[in-house]
Amino acid sequence: MTSVLVEALSLGAGLRAARKASGRSLNELSRTTKVHPRFLTALEEGDFSALPSRVFAIGYVRAYAMALGLDEQLAVERFKRESPDLSTPLQPPVGVAFQEVRRRSQPVLIAVAVIGVAVVGWNVFQRVNLMRAAQPSDIASVPESWSLGAVPGQANVAIGIGPARPAPPDQTTPALYVTPGLEEQLAGAQTADQLAAAAYQNSRPVAAAFNPRGAVYGAAATASQVVLQAKKAASLVVRQGDGRVLFARQLAPGEAWRAPMGVSATVDVSDPAAFDVYVNGEHGGMLTDLLTPLTQLNARAEAMARQAAAQAQAQAQAAARRTAAAAGAAGQAINGGLNAATRTQ
């Protein structure tokens, strides 16, 4: 059936010949294609002006050809040739505008290249002019003003660099300075050597203080006199007398536990050598037993606190006595001086 469309003089003649060969009427084909009979008649007669818009007309051609068993695409192409779409304006050939742009862009590219070469050449020329070969100095002798202690008409010493000097010795703490004679008058029988020894004795470092290097558990700092700090990982369990656990934890190195005051409990550790004991903020050794009564540690802290308070009170009293004695000695010296002055007069 495809040859019918090819051999027919027009699309309409080919459709009419195919319909008659099928033995069907326009009404039958209208019911099959759902296209009105008058549009089918217009297709067969080539009266394309009677058809609706171009989109619907192409759809009618495709449906009519399918119903007759013809090649749909071939029928549509022949319809387009016999009824060209005059609404679309003619387009210029592809590539004409691009060729025009290329012809115009060549001079622009040449001009840009010439400018670039000129700029680069100018920069190279400037750099070559600035480059000079090394030349010897025009100074025949060292001017007098460049020598050490320049004095016109006299022999001058030229500036030079001597050999390296040895590095200075490491800095050390200077010895304690004691004013001669003043200490003997204020302190009586004490000599300068004794005062220096006493100053050194007082300047000795105190015992190692508690330095938290991790979490601190337990009581507050103001409510505790004893601190247990782990030097290495170890377990610490604190049980009260009735068996209740007050604290239990595997402490990491640097973590510590503050013991509360006035609590009766037992400290149970996995390794006594792993815990440092700090009493009143100062290092007091290590735990000695696996089980240690907490009251024992607190009593030790209270005793040390009382001892420290007594020592401080005794030192204050001794200082007051020394001050009074020094004041008396100074008064006697002043009175002796006044008496001597009176006798001289």
Side-chain angles (χ1 to χ4, degrees):
M1 297 297 289
T2 303
S3 61
V4 176
L5 293 177
V6 176
E7 297 173 356
L9 298 178
S10 63
L11 173 64
L15 294 175
R16 183 167 51 254
R19 177 179 61 80
K20 290 181 179 181
S22 65
R24 288 179 289 178
S25 63
L26 290 175
N27 293 330
E28 292 176 354
L29 291 173
S30 176
R31 290 191 295 269
T32 302
T33 60
K34 303 295 191 260
V35 179
H36 198 275
R38 64 187 179 90
F39 295 141
L40 299 180
T41 303
L43 288 175
E44 290 185 357
E45 294 178 355
D47 186 10
F48 299 143
S49 61
L51 297 174
S53 62
R54 187 174 182 83
V55 176
F56 287 100
I58 292 175
Y60 294 164
V61 173
R62 191 181 302 276
Y64 201 8
M66 183 186 299
L68 295 174
L70 302 176
D71 189 347
E72 306 170 19
Q73 188 62 29
L74 181 61
V76 170
E77 293 297 332
R78 187 154 189 181
F79 171 77
K80 291 181 178 180
R81 289 197 303 269
E82 295 180 4
S83 177
D85 187 7
L86 302 179
S87 60
T88 303
L90 295 176
Q91 300 293 334
V94 178
V96 174
F98 178 72
Q99 295 295 334
E100 184 68 20
V101 172
R102 290 186 59 184
R103 287 196 298 271
R104 293 181 179 178
S105 61
Q106 289 179 357
V108 176
L109 295 177
I110 293 173
V112 172
V114 170
I115 294 173
V117 171
V119 172
V120 173
W122 175 256
N123 290 329
V124 172
F125 177 74
Q126 293 293 330
R127 290 182 178 274
V128 169
N129 288 338
L130 293 176
M131 294 173 59
R132 294 183 178 179
Q135 298 178 359
S137 176
D138 297 334
I139 301 176
S141 61
V142 179
E144 291 184 349
S145 60
W146 289 13
S147 60
L148 182 62
V151 179
Q154 296 184 7
N156 300 320
V157 181
I159 299 176
I161 300 177
R165 296 183 178 181
D170 294 338
Q171 295 183 355
T172 57
T173 303
L176 179 64
Y177 177 75
V178 180
T179 304
L182 180 61
E183 287 74 9
E184 287 81 352
Q185 292 183 1
L186 297 179
Q190 289 185 344
T191 62
D193 295 338
Q194 292 175 343
L195 290 174
Y200 174 76
Q201 182 70 19
N202 294 331
S203 63
R204 287 185 302 175
V206 299
F210 170 65
N211 180 22
R213 298 187 302 273
V216 180
Y217 305 96
T222 57
S224 175
Q225 295 176 317
V226 177
V227 180
L228 302 180
Q229 187 177 37
K231 295 189 294 184
K232 59 182 179 179
S235 62
L236 172 64
V237 180
V238 182
R239 294 185 180 86
Q240 294 182 336
D242 54 0
R244 291 183 300 173
V245 177
L246 182 62
F247 178 81
R249 190 177 183 87
Q250 178 78 14
L251 296 182
E255 294 184 342
W257 177 74
R258 288 195 182 98
M261 296 184 297
V263 176
S264 178
T266 301
V267 178
D268 186 358
V269 296
S270 59
D271 183 8
F275 288 91
D276 284 326
V277 181
Y278 290 89
V279 181
N280 297 325
E282 296 183 357
H283 187 256
M286 297 181 299
L287 288 177
T288 57
D289 300 320
L290 295 174
L291 299 177
T292 304
L294 185 57
T295 54
Q296 177 182 344
L297 298 176
N298 285 327
R300 176 184 172 187
E302 293 177 358
M304 293 181 65
R306 289 193 298 268
Q307 182 180 358
Q311 290 179 356
Q313 184 177 4
Q315 291 177 359
Q317 292 176 356
R321 288 193 298 268
R322 286 196 300 268
T323 302
Q332 292 178 2
I334 293 173
N335 292 330
L338 292 176
N339 293 330
T342 302
R343 288 194 298 269
T344 302
Q345 293 177 357

